[in-house]
Amino acid sequence: MSARWWLLVGATASGWVALALAAIGGAGESWWAVAAGAVSLGAWNRRLSWLSVAVPVGVVLLLLYSGSVVAGAACGLLVLFHVVLVDLAEDSYGASADGAVRALRPLVPGLAAAVVAAVAGGLSVVWARGVDAVTPVVVAAPLVLLVAAMVALGSETRREFWLWLSRR
Amino acid sequence: MAAGLSPRATGVRGGGPDGRRTTTTATPTWRPSPLTRRLMTMVVLGIGLGVVSQNPTLVAFALPGLLAMAVWLRGRRPERVELTVELDTPRTFEHEARRLAVRSTATPHGGAVHLILRPESPVHVTGDRVGVSPLPEARAHWRLAPTLWGYWSTGTVIARTRSATRAWVSETSLEGPRLTVYPPASATADAPPPPHLRRRLGPHVSRAPGAGVEFAGTREYLPGDSVRRVNWAQSSRADRWMVNEFAQERMADVVVLIDSVRDVGPVGQTTVDRSVRGATNVVRSYLSVADRVGVVAFGSALRWLTPTTGNRHFYRVVETLLQARQARTYVDPSLDRLPLAVLPTGALVVCFSPMLDDLVVEAIRDLRERAHPVVVVDVLTLDERPAPRDELAVRLWRLERQALSASLRRIGIRVVPYADTVHGTLGWLASVRSAGGRP
């Protein structure tokens, strides 16, 4: 499988998880999630990659009338991943996995800041409202998994990656 | 978007000494990338609707994107982009592939450069039109196979440079080097000899006896004949001295005239396309046997080359033919303006013409009146069966063409249909000459 294939699989997965999360946590009609997810598959076509905008629009519509703050932050993070991976996939025709990882490296600080902000913001609001302890754990689990995936992605490459990260 | 060099970004632009390479150095003008625009949509949508509907969930949704964008927009951006486009050779024949190498460097390093090629329409590109090197120094190679003769650009190369964090993008475009595409030329080893030959040593066997190597007959010995030419067998039978006679070997003058006053037909098979291809074959064939060949491009501008020999002359002739479509003028072409040396006495004139313009037909008649053997190759064909309602008109048109051909034949001009090979077009010349007739 090419690097582009893996990037698009990651983009699709993160987009669909975001839509599912918004459909569960929000008060909108669930079929919006299905429709937006189906339309976002256009990103697999090189000329139709702009259709990936269906994911953020679908999530916003699902979260428009209700939904928890934590679910909103988690959806925002997943949509961010979706947008980044689609953008990387656009330029990765014929590129090796190593080339895709190299292109991903400069984005790590921004992604890390987004993850930290989403987790910290979401959890603080939840705890401030006095919600039971199970909900934040359930919501935070995918975010932790995403951070772990990023770490695994970095460790697969060379040791210079960590040196480079430390220099920044 | 095919953005060119912006006024602020214009740097050094130059080319190689032989026109194979073009290069430019530009200071990029940055604009938000598609990634930034998507994130901005997400953030504006989330925060805007969140504030309007007083829904903190949407603000929380927009928060990760906002933070990521804030970090990425401060990412390092290259200050200078250098783009070099190089062609392995600036000349080629139709359908012969040439290699286009593109190199782009962004300094200081930290961004990614993406190379895109937008070729001109008659140039077929082998391989992806987008470079695949998302590196600070991007390299891409394409194979270009032009499908039509002429002067073509190799296309526009665009270097799309992204900042390290992909939040900014800039485009630098550069016109590739010019590619000269020659029509395919197939030389015929035994080009049919023209009816009239010059009194100079050449490759064609003439009917006059002289110092050659081709046996022509025998005659009685005359004082001064070399003893080595005595035919001993016949002398013993005839009981008198007989000597061998040989045919003279002489050269020919051939002038190719192409008519580009009217250009009709489908792209790639127009009358001018056929004329240039046919003329190239004729020129190549006669030059390969060391005859003198000249050319007259009879179009909206009159161009000519005096007959001469040699392989280098072939390229000069083809360059003249390639300009048949380019030159435009409002002055009617006339053979009277040609220097005398362009049309040597007795030179065979091969005209490639659709015979659609009276001016050209008159010029052909004029050539015959100057005692040149003239052959007209009709490059206009109508292979398709006309629609039933057009049948009568097409029939009348064909009758008019036949009448025109007959009027030309009456004054000694031979009209032959176009063929892809020299033998197909001029092969009949050999039989005419051996019979001693005129073309």
Side-chain angles (χ1 to χ4, degrees), chain B residues 167-333:
Chain B
W168 301 97
V169 69
S170 166
E171 285 188 352
T172 305
S173 64
L174 180 63
E175 191 73 23
R178 198 175 72 158
L179 185 62
T180 304
V181 184
Y182 294 140
S186 56
T188 306
D190 49 347
H196 301 302
L197 301 173
R198 288 176 60 82
R199 289 187 180 281
R200 286 185 180 179
L201 192 63
H204 302 293
V205 178
S206 76
R207 285 192 292 270
V213 294
E214 190 81 19
F215 179 76
T218 58
R219 63 168 169 78
E220 201 166 342
Y221 176 83
L222 292 173
D225 284 340
S226 170
V227 178
R228 286 193 296 178
R229 295 177 68 177
V230 171
N231 187 324
W232 298 103
Q234 197 175 2
S235 298
S236 63
R237 280 198 300 273
D239 201 21
R240 58 182 189 274
W241 294 108
M242 300 295 288
V243 292
N244 290 332
E245 270 194 326
F246 296 93
Q248 281 185 359
E249 291 174 350
R250 291 179 176 175
M251 73 185 310
D253 281 340
V254 178
V255 175
V256 175
L257 185 145
I258 67 159
D259 163 18
S260 59
V261 176
R262 300 284 175 88
D263 189 10
V264 294
V267 176
Q269 286 297 323
T270 66
T271 53
V272 172
D273 288 332
R274 288 177 154 209
S275 298
V276 169
R277 290 192 187 110
T280 309
N281 281 338
V282 170
V283 170
R284 187 72 178 164
S285 296
Y286 281 102
L287 282 177
S288 66
V289 292
D291 281 327
R292 296 201 317 165
V293 181
V295 66
V296 176
F298 196 88
S300 50
L302 191 66
R303 291 175 181 275
W304 64 83
L305 269 182
T306 311
T308 184
T309 58
N311 278 334
R312 289 176 68 181
H313 184 61
F314 169 72
Y315 291 98
R316 283 196 291 270
V317 169
V318 176
E319 291 277 352
T320 307
L321 294 175
L322 292 187
Q323 290 163 7
R325 267 206 186 113
Q326 288 199 321
R328 292 287 167 209
T329 173
Y330 292 100
V331 180
D332 284 341

Side-chain angles (χ1 to χ4, degrees), chain B residues 5-6 8-11 25-30 78-81 170 172:
Chain B
L5 284 172
S6 71
R8 195 164 69 81
T10 305
T25 306
T27 305
T29 305
W30 297 101
E79 292 167 3
R80 202 170 64 250
V81 177
S170 166
T172 305

